[in-house]
Amino acid sequence: PDESVNRDKDWFQGAGAVPAKSLGLGFLFGPGGYACRRLRRFRRVKEQVPADAEGKGQDENGDVFLFHQAMDAKIKKIPVYVAIGAISKPMQHAVVATEDRRFYSHGAIDPIGIGRAILTNIQSGETVEGGSTISQQVVKNVFLSQDRTFARKAQEFVMAFLLEQNYSKDEILEIYQYGVFGANATGIDDAARTYFTTSPEKLDLAQASMLAGLVQAPTYYNPLQNYPAAKARQKIVLTS
C-alpha cells in the first residue's frame, strides 16, 4: 500500500535509523519518559485547580481547558456526527478488533501493544506493526502533523491522556470513526452510504469488516478500485 497506516506504523518507520533493539530504551528515555514527566506535572497542578462549571480543568498553561475547547470545536465542524448508538455493533467491534483490540481495557497508551509491536518488528527485521491506540490515533489525526519525530510522538502521548480524561471510550470511538474511508468518503456515515447505500446503524458484519479494513490504507483497499486487495484485507479483519 502507498499509504502509511493510521496505527502509527509511520513512527516506527521514522525511527528506522535507530536499531530495532534500541526502540525499547528509546521509548523510555525519549517520548515515553517525556510524557510521564509531563503528566506528573500536569496532575500536581490539576489537584490545585478545580474544574470549572463545564468540567474543563486546566493547569497553569491552560492545557486541559484549551484541549477540551479545541476538541469540541473540531467535533462541531463534523458535517454528520454519528453517535455510538447509531453505529452498528458489528462496525464498532470490527474497528476495535482491527485497530486496537484492548481499547476498552487499557488507558491512553497500551504498553503491551507497544511491546508486542517492537518484538514483532525485531523478529521480522523490518517495520510491520505499529503500537498506537485509538486514542493516540484520534489526537494525531485531529491535532498533530505526520512528522516522524520523538517530539511529535511525545506530544501525542500527552494529548492522548488528556483525551481520555475528558471523553469516554465510546465518545473517543465516535470521533475516531470520522476518518477517511477512500472514494472521497469521510466519516462512517459517508462511507456506509458510498459503498453500501445504507446507514451506519444498519451495517452488517460483512459490510463492517470491509469498512474497518479501509482504515489502514483507504485508497489501496478501496473495493471500488482494488477489490482483490479489499477482500484480502477483509479476511484479516474477520480473523482479528
Side-chain angles (χ1 to χ4, degrees), residues 39 53 114 117 224 227 238:
L39 284 165
I114 292 174
L224 302 180
Y227 188 72
L238 289 170

Side-chain angles (χ1 to χ4, degrees), residues 57-193:
Q58 65 183 89
D59 68 7
E60 71 257 37
N61 293 320
D63 286 347
V64 177
F65 174 79
L66 294 177
F67 177 85
H68 199 165
Q69 185 181 54
M71 180 60 79
D72 284 350
K74 292 284 187 179
I75 292 174
K76 289 178 181 178
K77 291 181 180 179
I78 295 177
V80 181
Y81 185 83
V82 184
I84 198 73
I87 300 174
S88 73
K89 289 296 183 181
M91 186 65 206
Q92 294 178 43
H93 295 161
V95 169
V96 171
T98 306
E99 296 300 307
D100 186 359
R101 69 186 65 179
R102 298 181 61 250
F103 175 61
Y104 282 98
S105 60
H106 62 61
I109 308 299
D110 182 11
I112 294 176
I114 292 174
R116 182 179 61 246
I118 292 175
L119 181 61
T120 299
N121 294 337
I122 290 174
Q123 292 175 336
S124 66
E126 61 180 339
T127 302
V128 297
E129 183 176 334
S132 290
T133 63
I134 284 177
S135 294
Q136 288 176 255
Q137 294 178 56
V138 166
V139 295
K140 183 186 73 172
N141 294 337
V142 173
F143 294 113
L144 302 174
S145 69
Q146 300 298 315
D147 293 344
R148 301 172 182 180
T149 64
F150 282 111
R152 200 276 292 163
K153 195 67 177 178
Q155 285 181 307
E156 177 187 304
F157 285 168
V158 173
M159 294 180 78
F161 276 99
L162 294 177
L163 179 69
E164 293 233 354
Q165 288 184 342
N166 285 273
Y167 297 89
S168 69
K169 287 287 190 179
D170 282 350
E171 289 172 328
I172 293 170
L173 189 59
E174 288 175 0
I175 300 168
Y176 181 69
Q177 298 203 56
Y178 187 73
V180 176
F181 287 88
N184 296 317
T186 302
I188 187 61
D189 184 78
D190 200 6
R193 299 182 190 284

